[in-house]
């Protein structure tokens, strides 16, 4: 009996017993539905197709980056440089397109720039045995600086149809970024659930020492994870630049906060080893829809910042309380 | 001689296991009293009760008040023991490197002037006074981080004096001192003794015990054995008391068989490490259990870490099946079919928040398809180990943290069995495990070597070493002092080598 009590299960009316984490995930979905209904009722334009498309397009950028961030947080790290990478890759893609006019090369260079920064983050973090927080805090500043240097601080406007297609185009009536987002979400979900790499991520986040003592190449996994985060953010950056028809060195200011908030609200534990991609997606949706709704309701962005901060604290508290309950 | 401290019939249990059973200790004013016993004898638990870190379950602590009268006393927390004049100096000092000597001595009770500010002048003067008392002349504004080990120890002793301690407990005080520094320390101890301080001296080093202490209390398995006058006893008598009456000669059934067909699978040649190991040489034969005995700090775990590629090998060679190998990290070690079940299974052996099956397959995954996890195979494999090792669990999906210690240990072992290592190193495989699970693990080890695996078992329990090993190696202060097949061995001989009495 004591064994059962320890497992922290809650009785559920449908006859199943649910773990704290499951409960939390259902709670999130419920919150999302409630939020959606409330917003539809109180904000006039919320349910309009144009607004929903707008939300979806905005969220696709955040969602794509949040998949990488989920991996990073799962191994017990954090990537603060995603906002700067978003700017750098957009700028690089726009510059590339201006000189060569190949949308594929522009995409490639933008994504590569993101992956390169991610690799640098991972390499320094793993080999230098530095906290990811510090490494990415440094690159956050350095990469933002580089973006301004490359552009002389001016946005690089690029309005040609083939450049803006990936960000603004439609396919069967649905924006292209949505397709990309869905593919990345499914791919990310597959990686964490069904591959060896995914298992290693949870293992390292759960206990890095044990993973090392079990013969895992911990450094290599860390480098891969940060590189993936950089790569996906790079992709998100190209999509954003394409949608805005310009590579802006100031893009993505505070973006890391949105991404991290989505991941944490989605139930991924900041101490690593616990969480999943579907949770992250719900978290990103929740924060995105809340932001959109508040904007429609004319709530000033200053208040929105305060609300976002409050939500993050609430989510982290929930996580620690959940863990404490288990001990 | 006036008695100043008397601990009577002290008993203490941790989660049902009795670690102290009617322990006793009697200390006189102005004496140096040695506390001896093998690993797990209960010395440190007894001292933790004396210093208020643990609370006793039964028994009484009587403390002298200066006029030879003893009074019963109860400690709820460490500060109370300090206030009553009992201090302990740990092997790893309790000093803050970034603070000055004076600040360390008065940490938490800094003298205050009339303005409620720290009275620095008084603090420096007072510290100087205490340091001079123990014959140390040094600028008390110096940062402790800049001091040598011996100087730090002196600061600790000065701190004890400033606390008006009458009983000072020293835990292995000479462990990292040079010969010259040891001589100085001993002179200081003799001086303190003359001034009426009592010292409880915990050490494994026989020479020191005989050169500095007045009386010796021997403990074994949490029980009081005897208290002797140092001048009336011998090294061999002490070892005999620490081992106890049972001088049983035990042999594993196939010890003779194994040692006959000697086929070396693994050898270590001239291995040294920066920290501790000196010129280690040994062979591991195929299908044998090689027991490594030694006291805490003898270097057995360090050796395992070097072999497994966790720590750097400063010098030496490792050979596996006639081939020299260069193991720089655990990944390489596992590639050469070495497995290691670490002593600290919760922090180094398991990922507690993950299910059993994830832990068991962690080592195996690299041999399987990286893109498609074969969850059925994993389930089957885990279920089989759960049955084979009779792990008490609700199933392969149970979170590992929920298992008992013995079952957790079995999960760690299963993790290695899944990749069928040729060489398995088990560091304290039965520590903190109940007797039933212990026997199951012994039986399993026997089965594994019968199937051709070779096992290195590090253990601090003499009966375990003698019951399970085919051959026994003893380490003392980073060196191998004994290597013999387990025929006709007894606990006393082994302990003598472990304590450096015989070399």
């Amino acid at each position: 009996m004591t064994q059962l009590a320890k497992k922290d299960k809650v009785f559920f009316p449908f006859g199943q017993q649910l773990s704290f984490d499951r409960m939390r995930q259902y709670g999130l979905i419920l919150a999302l539905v409630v939020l959606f209904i409330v917003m539809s009722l109180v904000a006039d334009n919320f349910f309009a197709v144009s607004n929903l498309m707008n939300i979806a397009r905005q969220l696709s950028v955040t969602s794509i980056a949040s998949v990488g961030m989920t991996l990073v947080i799962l191994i017990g790290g954090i990537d603060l440089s995603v906002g700067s990478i978003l700017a750098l890759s957009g700028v690089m893609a726009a510059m590339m397109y201006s000189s060569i006019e190949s949308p594929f090369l522009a995409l490639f260079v933008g994504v590569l720039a993101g992956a390169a920064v991610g690799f640098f983050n991972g390499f320094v973090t793993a080999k230098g045995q530095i906290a990811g927080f510090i490494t990415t805090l440094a690159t956050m500043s350095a990469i933002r600086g580089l973006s301004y240097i490359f552009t002389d601080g001016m946005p690089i406007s690029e309005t040609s149809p083939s450049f803006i297609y990936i960000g603004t185009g439609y396919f069967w009536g649905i924006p292209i970024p949505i397709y990309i987002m869905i593919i990345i979400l499914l791919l990310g979900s597959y990686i964490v659930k069904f591959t060896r790499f995914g298992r290693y991520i949870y293992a390292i986040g759960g206990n890095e020492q044990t993973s090392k003592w079990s013969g895992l190449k911990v450094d290599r996994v860390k480098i891969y994870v940060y590189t993936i985060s950089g790569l996906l953010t790079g992709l998100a950056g190209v999509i954003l630049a394409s949608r805005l028809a310009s590579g802006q060195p100031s893009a993505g200011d505070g973006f890391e906060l949105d991404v991290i908030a989505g991941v944490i609200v989605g139930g991924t534990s900041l101490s690593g080893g616990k969480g999943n991609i579907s949770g992250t997606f719900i978290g990103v949706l929740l924060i995105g829809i809340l932001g959109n709704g508040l904007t429609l309701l004319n709530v000033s962005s200053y208040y929105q910042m305060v609300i976002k901060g409050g939500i993050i604290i609430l989510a982290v508290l929930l996580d620690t309380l959940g863990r404490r309950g288990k001990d | 001689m006036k008695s100043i401290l008397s601990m009577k019939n002290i008993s203490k249990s941790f989660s049902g296991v009795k670690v102290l059973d009617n322990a006793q200790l009697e200390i006189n004013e102005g004496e140096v009293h040695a506390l001896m016993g093998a690993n797990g004898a209960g010395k440190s638990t007894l001292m933790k009760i004396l210093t208020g870190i643990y609370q006793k379950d039964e028994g009484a602590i009587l403390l002298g008040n200066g006029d030879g009268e003893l009074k019963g006393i109860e400690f709820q927390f460490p500060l109370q023991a300090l206030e009553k004049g009992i201090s302990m100096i740990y092997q790893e000092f309790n000093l803050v490197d970034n603070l000055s000597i004076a600040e360390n001595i008065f940490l938490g009770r800094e003298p205050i002037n009339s303005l409620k500010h720290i009275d620095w002048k008084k603090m420096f003067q007072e510290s100087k006074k205490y340091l001079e008392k123990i014959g140390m002349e040094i600028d008390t504004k110096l940062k402790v981080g800049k001091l040598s080990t011996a100087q730090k120890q002196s600061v600790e002793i000065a701190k004890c004096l400033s606390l008006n301690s009458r009983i000072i407990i020293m835990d292995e005080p000479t462990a990292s001192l040079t010969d010259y520094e040891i001589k100085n320390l001993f002179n200081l101890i003799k001086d303190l003794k003359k001034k009426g301080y009592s010292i409880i001296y915990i050490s494994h080093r026989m020479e020191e015990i005989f050169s500095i202490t007045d009386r010796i209390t021997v403990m074994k398995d949490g029980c009081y054995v005897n208290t002797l006058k140092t001048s009336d006893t011998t090294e061999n008598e002490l070892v005999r008391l620490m081992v106890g009456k049972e001088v049983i000669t035990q042999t594993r059934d196939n010890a003779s068989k194994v040692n006959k067909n000697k086929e070396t699978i693994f050898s270590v040649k001239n291995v040294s490490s920066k920290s501790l190991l000196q010129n280690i040489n040994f062979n591991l034969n195929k299908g044998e259990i090689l027991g490594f005995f030694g006291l805490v700090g003898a270097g057995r775990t360090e050796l395992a870490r070097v072999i497994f590629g966790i720590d750097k090998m400063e010098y030496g060679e490792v050979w596996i099946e006639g081939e020299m190998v260069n193991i720089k990290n655990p990944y390489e070690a596992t590639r050469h079919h070495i497995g290691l079940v670490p002593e600290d299974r919760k922090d180094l052996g398991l990922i507690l928040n993950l299910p059993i099956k994830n832990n068991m397959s962690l080592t195996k995954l690299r041999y399987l398809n990286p893109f498609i996890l074969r969850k059925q195979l994993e389930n089957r494999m885990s279920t089989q180990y759960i049955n084979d090792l009779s792990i008490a669990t609700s199933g392969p999906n149970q979170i590992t943290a929920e298992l008992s210690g013995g079952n957790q240990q079995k999960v760690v072992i299963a993790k290695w069995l899944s990749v069928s290592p040729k060489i398995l190193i088990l560091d304290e495989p039965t520590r903190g495990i109940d007797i039933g699970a212990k026997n199951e693990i012994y039986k399993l080890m026997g089965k594994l070597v019968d199937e051709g695996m070779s096992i290195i078992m590090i253990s601090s329990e003499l009966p375990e070493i003698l019951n399970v090993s085919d051959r026994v190696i003893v380490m003392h202060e980073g060196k191998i002092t004994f290597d013999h097949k387990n025929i006709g061995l007894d606990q006393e001989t082994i302990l003598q080598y472990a304590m450096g009495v015989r070399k």
Side-chain angles (χ1 to χ4, degrees), chain A residues 27-36 59 262 265-266 280-292 311:
Chain A
L28 268 179
I29 296 174
L30 193 71
L32 188 63
V33 172
V34 170
L35 183 69
F36 205 83
L59 284 186
V265 169
T280 292
F281 184 55
I282 300 169
V284 170
L285 278 182
L286 203 70
I287 288 183
I289 291 173
L290 188 72
N292 178 272
I311 289 176

Side-chain angles (χ1 to χ4, degrees), chain A residues 115-177:
Chain A
V117 178
F119 176 81
F120 179 84
N121 284 337
F123 191 82
V124 173
T125 303
K127 298 294 178 189
Q129 297 185 353
I130 301 172
F133 175 80
I134 299 298
T135 318
T136 58
L137 185 68
T139 43
M140 171 170 133
S141 163
I143 298 304
R144 176 73 65 190
L146 277 184
S147 312
Y148 281 116
I149 292 169
F150 289 162
T151 58
D152 281 333
M154 303 300 286
I156 297 178
S157 178
E158 186 50 73
T159 52
S160 60
S162 68
F163 182 75
I164 63 165
Y165 180 70
I166 190 174
T168 56
Y170 284 82
F171 187 72
W172 286 347
I174 292 170
I176 304 277

Side-chain angles (χ1 to χ4, degrees), chain B residues 180-441:
Chain B
Y180 176 72
E181 290 167 337
I182 292 176
K183 230 171 90 189
N184 282 343
L185 175 69
F186 283 4
N187 284 334
L188 175 58
I189 291 178
K190 281 175 194 156
D191 190 46
L192 290 172
K193 191 173 108 176
K194 256 185 237 152
K195 289 177 180 158
Y197 292 97
S198 305
I199 306 217
I200 301 177
Y201 191 93
I202 303 175
S203 176
H204 291 307
R205 294 187 174 172
M206 284 289 188
E207 308 153 37
E208 296 176 4
I209 301 275
F210 279 92
S211 75
I212 193 76
T213 67
D214 302 306
R215 290 195 300 162
I216 303 165
T217 291
V218 178
M219 294 180 71
K220 178 184 178 292
D221 297 337
C223 301
Y224 170 81
V225 177
N226 206 348
T227 300
L228 306 154
K229 276 184 95 167
T230 310
S231 50
D232 294 347
T233 185
T234 63
E235 294 186 357
N236 284 328
E237 186 186 4
L238 286 176
V239 171
R240 212 173 308 129
L241 288 174
M242 286 163 69
V243 170
K245 279 188 208 108
E246 33 165 348
V247 190
I248 313 158
T249 308
Q250 277 155 326
T251 317
R252 221 172 72 83
D253 299 343
N254 61 349
S256 48
K257 186 183 82 196
V258 165
N259 285 282
K260 240 180 264 164
N261 84 56
K262 254 192 182 171
E263 185 195 333
T264 301
I265 184 166
F266 178 77
S267 38
V268 164
K269 294 180 183 171
N270 304 322
V271 164
S272 300
S273 77
K274 220 173 199 166
S275 53
L276 186 61
L277 305 174
Q278 294 170 44
N279 204 21
I280 302 286
N281 280 288
F282 72 91
N283 290 325
L284 173 67
N285 297 327
K286 191 166 162 50
E288 82 171 341
I289 299 176
L290 177 56
F292 265 76
F293 183 75
L295 301 173
V296 171
R300 297 161 301 157
T301 299
E302 288 77 3
L303 179 61
R305 288 172 66 107
V306 166
I307 291 173
F308 202 63
I310 306 271
D311 292 340
K312 207 179 154 207
M313 187 183 300
E314 207 59 28
Y315 185 80
E317 294 169 1
V318 172
W319 293 67
I320 295 173
E321 291 179 317
E323 223 177 290
M324 196 172 106
V325 294
N326 182 12
I327 295 171
K328 281 176 294 190
N329 50 46
Y331 176 83
E332 296 281 330
T334 47
R335 208 166 60 83
H336 287 108
H337 305 285
I338 303 177
L340 172 65
V341 176
E343 181 181 357
D344 182 354
R345 60 178 159 266
K346 281 182 201 276
D347 286 335
L348 302 173
L350 292 168
I351 301 166
L352 289 170
N353 68 338
L354 289 182
I356 294 174
K357 63 170 198 244
N358 295 42
N359 275 288
M360 284 184 178
S361 64
L362 195 60
T363 48
K364 178 93 179 164
L365 284 173
R366 62 197 249 212
Y367 302 105
L368 304 174
N369 187 331
F371 300 110
I372 304 160
L373 272 189
R374 298 185 55 196
K375 295 200 172 175
Q376 274 177 331
L377 179 80
E378 186 183 40
N379 264 321
R380 230 178 17 236
M381 187 190 91
S382 324
T383 312
Q384 198 191 329
Y385 282 121
I386 287 169
N387 293 334
D388 287 358
L389 309 187
S390 39
I391 300 173
T393 167
S394 62
N397 288 312
Q398 190 174 11
I399 301 295
T400 317
E402 294 168 1
L403 301 184
S404 71
N407 287 307
Q408 286 183 347
Q409 182 71 312
K410 289 177 186 171
V411 174
V412 185
I413 294 175
K415 176 175 88 177
W416 289 110
L417 295 188
S418 73
V419 289
S420 1
K422 291 177 186 163
I423 300 146
L424 185 61
I425 305 170
L426 299 156
D427 194 353
E428 303 285 1
T430 65
R431 172 162 293 176
I433 288 175
D434 67 85
I435 191 84
K438 257 186 191 183
N439 285 328
E440 281 172 12
I441 287 174

